[in-house]
Structures are given as C-alpha cells and as structure tokens.
C-alpha cells in the first residue's frame, strides 16, 4: 500500500477503475463514492497544477477503460479489422475521455486551501457538471454513463433527475463524495458511521422495488415487446427468413385490447418500402409487410427497425437511413422515423479521407454510411396517438430525446445491444431509465438479445426480458406523468446548478475572510 501511495497517479488510475464499478452491472455505489472521495483527496494534495492534472487524467483513464470495456466486443463482428484491436480501441477512447475529469481536477485544484473544505468540494462538483456536459456535446458527443446514472437503482435519489437532470445530479454525486472527506480523515467512530451510511446506500436498491398490483381495464392499449435472442453473428445475408419467423412466432395473437407490437433494431433485413429498383429486393416489400401484418389484429400496429434507401436513379444508392417503420394490420406503412444522432465508426466513418487509407473502417458491415434524420420527432399512430422514437444510442443524450413542441405520451427505443457484450446492455438500460425519470415518460425498449424492457415514467421496470433470452412481454401501456421541471427547462438546469454551486463556494470563502 505504501508503494502505491508513493505513486499518486497510479493510485488515481486504480480509484478511477473502482469508481466505474458504481454503474451497472455491478452497481457498487458505495465503492464508487469512496473511490471518488479518495481521488479528490489526491487532487487536493497535488503539489502543483500539473500534478493535479496528471492525477485527474489518470483517474479518467482508469474510469473510462473499465466503464467502456464492452466497446471491445463490437470488433468481434468486423472482418476488416482484427478483434484484438478492440482492446486498444477501448483504451484509446479512455485516453480521450480522460481529458474531461482532468479539466475538472485542474479547476478544483486552483480553488483549494490548506484543507479540503466545502468550497473546494463545491467547485469540484460545479467543474464536473461543466466538463461532463462538454463530453456529451463535443465532437458529436459521447454521453455514455454520466456519473449521475449510478443512482438509477436508488429511486429516491434518482428521482432528483426529474428536477435537475442527469448532469446536475452527477455534480451532486461529486459533492456527496466530497462530503465524506472530513469523515475519512477523522476518528474510528466517525468511520463506523460512514460505513453504516455506505451500507445503507448499497442496500437501498433492494428496498426500492414496489410491484404494481393494480389491474387496468381489459380494453386498455397494450405493448408487446419481442426479443428473439438472435446475436449479431446469426444475422447474415441468408438468415433473413429464419429471423423473421422467430419474430413472428413471439408476436402473439390479437386480443380484446389494441396492441402495439415492437421489434428491435437491426433484425429485419428485408426492405419494407415500395418503389425501389427491382434489383434491390430479394422479395417484394409488400409480401414482407403482409407477413408481418398476419400476426396483427384489426386495431394492432407494429413498429420495427429497418433500413430506408434513396437513389440517384435506377442504378446507384444515394443514401441510407437507420429507420423505424410503422405497419398496420393491412400491411401498409403508416409512418417512418430516421435516426438523427448517428454513431461514429458504427453508422458512419468520420474523416474517411484520413482513416480509410490507414485501413480503418466502420464496425458495422457495409461500405455505405447512414445519413442522419432531422432530430427528435414523433410518429402519430392510429389508436395510440403520438409516439416519440429514439433509436439505440440516441437515448443516452440527456435533454435531447423528446420533440419539445409536441410532447408524446411515451417513447420507443429500439436498439441492437448485441454489439455491447455483457456490460453494455445493463448500462444502456440504466440510461434509458434515467431518460424516463427526466422526462416523466414511459420508455419501451426492444433489443435482439436483451435487455428489453417496459419502463414506467418514474424509471421503474414494469417488465423485462433478461439478457440473451428469447421471449416476449405484453403489458398495458404505462401512463405518462405531468411534464417535469427538467422536461420544461432541459440542460439549462445543469448550468443553473453548476453556477449555484460555484456561487455558494465563493460566498463561503468571502464570509470566512
């Protein structure tokens, strides 16, 4: 231990890795808070601004390497690049993302005094909010797992996101870790009290679940989520019929209530729109739609992921879109949404003029980049009204998931989490739950291999299909809550909370003088 303490950058690296254990699937919130508190002490004790930056950067490298370890799994499906490259890619991503906690550490160090007092902690929290928000927006943004997401299993604390949003909640998490600093440095009795508080935080997720025993009327609209458990490796060019049959088998039968049947992203390979050149189709789009409609009742609708194409003529594909299509019981298309926030290296290759000569390519098979849609939009579905759509990665962007001029009663989030290994799916689900809390809207998730779920407007899980399990769930459509404060104000709340924390820190310092 003494050897480790002699190398504060190495200790910061290890503390960053431990702090990542606060996220799903481990959900060790107490360990994360202690690790962050220990890192804050190291930053405060740094002998120079440069040393503080180094300790901040090392923490970020450890934190994001562990946090994004699922990133490697995407390379297992890419023939153009060896899978081992995925390990280097995960570390390379962490080397970039570590810049943001480094900046927060540098700002906080500039505000330190002889002991790590309240102003130091408050400035640290404000700086974390600012840098975490920048991480979510710079260079198209990488908003995966803001720190506030660790509270999703602890419902009373996660509920604060409905007021202030995830980024501001991340700042309060830093402040909570900072509040442990006096206890860490004091007597054994206080350490015992600290341990009791941390145990309570760890036990809280087990106590926060309350099953819903109410029974809605039989004609209440229902949601049926289908998860075929077909991995990325099982969806080749010749597997389209087998995949479609698996989806149809689990789509159930019509009942007395209208149903919205939802299928995942990335499983229907057949084109669903008419009017493409004949050479595009293996079989007519109308035939595929009629087969899909065969499992629908007269008031049922189905939403599925698919690909939309546009052409320069009869020979050349001009563009492709990652889309969601709505199909009615007659086999007619009644709506389409195009994904707006595309994944770099997954759905398009940034800087192709530089990266292609280096032998790099997209992780998704194919040479055609997707083009983005116009942003958060609703589909208006007969019998169900407006539904907001967020495809896969789009759901992680706090404050950017709802059409502000036309708030829908719920969101549909089809995803292809088969790329994400074992850690990615539960982390993706946790972030979707945070969006439900922020917006006060139910969210329906459908993925090929899990974790598919129906999420209530307060973030609770109404129904789930476990990871790597074939199945379906059918439940009444959960009710939306009244618009939350965050849904009205958006990420201005992050700026407000950060400014308030900084102002309080300044006020405390001036009063002491």
């Amino acid at each position: 231990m003494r050897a480790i303490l002699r190398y504060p950058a190495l200790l910061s690296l290890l503390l960053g890795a431990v702090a990542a254990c606060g996220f799903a699937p481990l959900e060790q919130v107490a360990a994360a808070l202690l690790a962050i508190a220990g890192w804050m002490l190291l930053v405060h004790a740094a002998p120079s601004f440069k040393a503080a930056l180094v300790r901040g950067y090392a923490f970020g490298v450890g934190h994001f390497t562990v946090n994004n370890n699922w990133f490697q799994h995407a390379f297992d499906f890419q023939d153009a690049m060896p899978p081992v490259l995925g390990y280097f890619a995960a570390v390379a991503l962490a080397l970039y993302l570590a810049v943001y906690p480094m900046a927060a550490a540098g700002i906080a160090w500039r505000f330190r005094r002889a002991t790590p007092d309240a102003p130091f902690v408050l400035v640290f929290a404000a700086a974390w909010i600012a840098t975490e928000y920048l991480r979510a927006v710079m260079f198209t943004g990488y908003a995966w797992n803001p720190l506030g997401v660790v509270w999703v299993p602890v419902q009373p604390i996660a509920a604060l996101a409905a007021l202030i949003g995830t980024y501001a909640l991340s700042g309060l998490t830093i402040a909570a870790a900072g509040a442990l600093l006096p206890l860490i440095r004091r007597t054994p009795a206080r350490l015992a009290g600290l341990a009791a508080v941390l145990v309570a935080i760890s036990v809280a997720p087990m106590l926060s679940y309350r099953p819903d025993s109410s029974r809605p009327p039989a004609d209440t609209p229902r949601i049926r989520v289908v998860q075929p458990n077909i991995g990325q490796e099982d969806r080749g060019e010749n597997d389209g019929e087998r995949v479609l049959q698996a989806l149809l088998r689990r789509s159930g039968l019509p009942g007395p209530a209208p149903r919205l049947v939802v299928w995942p992203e990335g499983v229907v390979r057949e084109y669903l729109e008419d009017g493409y050149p004949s050479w595009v189709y293996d079989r007519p789009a109308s035939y595929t739609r009629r087969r899909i409609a065969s499992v629908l009742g007269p008031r049922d609708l189905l939403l599925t992921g698919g690909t939309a194409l546009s052409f320069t003529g009869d020979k050349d594909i001009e563009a492709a879109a990652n889309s969601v299509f709505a199909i009615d019981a007659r086999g007619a298309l009644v709506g389409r949404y195009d994904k707006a926030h595309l994944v770099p290296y997954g759905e398009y290759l940034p800087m192709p003029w530089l990266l292609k000569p280096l032998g790099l390519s997209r992780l998704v098979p194919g040479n055609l980049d997707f083009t983005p849609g116009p942003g958060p939009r609703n589909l208006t579905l007969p019998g169900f009204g407006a539904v907001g759509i967020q495809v896969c990665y789009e759901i992680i962007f706090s404050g950017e998931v709802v059409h502000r001029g036309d708030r829908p009663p719920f969101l549909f989030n089809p995803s292809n989490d088969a790329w994400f290994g074992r850690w990615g799916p539960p982390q993706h689900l946790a972030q979707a739950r945070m969006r439900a809390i922020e917006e006060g809207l139910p969210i329906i998730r459908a993925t090929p291999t899990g974790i598919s779920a129906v999420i209530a407007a307060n973030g609770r899980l109404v129904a789930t299909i476990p990871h790597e399990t074939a199945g379906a769930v059918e439940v009444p459509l959960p009710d939306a809550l009244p618009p939350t404060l965050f849904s009205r104000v958006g990420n201005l709340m992050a700026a407000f909370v950060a400014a308030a924390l900084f102002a309080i820190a300044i006020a405390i310092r001036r009063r002491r003088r």
Side-chain angles (χ1 to χ4, degrees):
M1 177 61 76
R2 289 182 179 179
I4 294 177
L5 291 174
R6 291 174 185 171
Y7 300 96
L10 175 59
L11 182 54
S12 295
L13 182 80
L14 296 175
L15 290 173
V18 173
C21 297
F23 296 102
L26 302 181
E27 296 181 342
Q28 297 299 311
V29 181
L33 290 176
L34 280 174
I36 294 168
W39 171 56
M40 294 171 73
L41 283 176
L42 288 175
V43 171
H44 183 273
S48 66
F49 178 65
K50 180 179 178 180
L53 293 179
V54 170
R55 296 174 190 190
Y57 189 77
F59 177 90
V61 172
H63 184 71
F64 291 114
T65 298
V66 173
N67 198 0
N68 295 296
N69 71 78
W70 57 267
F71 193 74
Q72 181 279 328
H73 191 66
F75 285 75
D76 292 341
F77 308 106
Q78 174 54 266
D79 294 333
M81 293 180 285
V84 69
L85 186 61
Y87 295 101
F88 295 99
V91 175
L93 178 61
L95 291 174
Y96 157 65
L97 296 175
V99 169
Y100 298 100
M102 178 186 75
I107 293 170
W109 185 88
R110 288 291 191 188
F111 213 78
R112 82 199 192 290
R113 289 293 184 268
T115 59
D117 56 3
F120 170 77
V121 171
L122 294 174
V123 169
F124 215 134
W128 186 277
I129 294 172
T131 55
E132 191 173 78
Y133 176 76
L134 289 175
R135 171 165 72 90
V137 298
M138 291 186 66
F139 309 114
T140 77
Y142 186 78
W144 191 270
N145 271 354
L147 186 58
V149 175
V150 301
W151 296 110
V152 165
V154 187
Q155 285 283 310
I157 298 178
L160 290 173
L163 301 174
I164 61 176
T166 302
Y167 303 130
L169 183 57
S170 295
L172 296 187
T173 305
I174 293 291
L180 303 178
L181 299 183
L183 299 176
I184 290 175
R185 303 171 70 244
R186 295 297 178 87
T187 64
R190 292 194 178 187
L191 285 176
L194 169 63
V197 171
L198 295 176
V199 168
I201 291 174
S202 298
V203 173
M206 294 182 286
L207 303 178
S208 62
Y209 176 72
R210 296 290 185 274
D212 184 2
S213 59
S214 62
R215 294 187 176 182
D219 60 349
T220 300
R222 302 181 70 83
I223 300 291
R224 185 175 183 89
V225 183
V226 177
Q227 180 173 297
N229 193 33
I230 296 177
Q232 195 67 33
E233 68 278 7
D234 298 322
R235 282 179 261 158
E237 293 183 2
N238 300 320
D239 294 321
E241 177 61 26
R242 181 175 62 86
V243 172
L244 183 60
Q245 288 182 3
L247 291 164
L248 293 171
R249 280 197 307 270
R250 291 176 174 82
S251 294
L253 298 173
R259 300 182 309 154
L260 182 62
V261 182
V262 296
W263 290 358
E265 175 198 24
V267 288
V268 175
R269 295 299 178 91
E270 292 84 357
Y271 296 111
L272 298 175
E273 291 184 307
D274 298 317
Y276 296 170
S278 59
W279 57 267
V280 172
Y281 299 106
D282 292 325
R283 50 192 174 189
S286 58
Y287 170 79
T288 303
R289 296 198 308 269
R290 286 196 300 270
R291 290 192 63 190
I292 292 173
S294 67
V295 298
L296 302 178
R299 295 191 295 165
D300 294 348
L301 292 171
L302 185 141
L303 293 173
T304 182
T307 302
L309 301 176
S310 58
F311 298 83
T312 56
D314 290 338
K315 296 183 179 180
D316 298 322
I317 299 176
E318 181 180 32
N322 187 356
S323 303
V324 172
F325 296 96
I327 301 172
D328 68 11
R330 298 175 293 112
L333 289 179
V334 294
R336 169 184 145 190
Y337 167 86
D338 294 340
K339 184 177 181 181
H341 207 133
L342 301 177
V343 182
Y345 303 99
E347 292 165 316
Y348 73 96
L349 184 68
M351 299 183 295
W353 53 271
L354 173 63
L355 299 181
K356 284 186 177 181
L358 297 176
L360 298 177
S361 64
R362 295 188 303 126
L363 300 178
V364 178
N367 296 318
L368 185 66
D369 286 351
F370 287 110
T371 55
R377 292 292 186 274
N378 298 336
L379 294 181
T380 301
L381 305 179
F384 290 89
V387 51
I389 311 289
Q390 291 287 291
V391 178
C392 192
Y393 177 75
E394 290 184 303
I395 201 66
I396 74 172
F397 290 92
S398 174
E400 301 179 28
V401 300
V402 170
H403 186 188
R404 295 299 171 192
D406 186 14
R407 184 176 189 255
F410 68 101
L411 298 175
F412 173 47
N413 174 222
S415 186
N416 186 5
D417 288 7
W419 296 98
F420 295 173
R422 291 193 173 275
W423 280 47
Q427 291 180 2
H428 208 178
L429 174 62
Q431 291 172 89
R433 293 176 68 185
M434 189 61 84
R435 297 294 87 73
I437 295 168
E438 287 177 336
E439 302 292 343
L441 295 176
I443 295 179
I444 316 302
R445 297 199 78 236
T447 75
T449 58
I451 305 168
S452 300
V454 177
I455 306 169
N458 61 0
R460 293 186 186 275
L461 295 174
V462 176
T464 62
I465 308 172
H467 190 219
E468 296 183 342
T469 301
V473 293
E474 185 170 320
V475 296
L477 176 63
D479 293 328
L481 295 175
T484 64
L485 177 62
F486 180 81
S487 72
R488 296 178 184 275
V489 180
N491 281 318
L492 285 176
M493 290 302 300
F496 174 79
V497 173
L501 292 171
F502 188 76
I504 294 170
I506 295 293
I508 293 173
R509 281 282 165 84
R510 289 183 174 178
R511 184 176 181 181
R512 288 178 178 174
R513 289 176 183 173

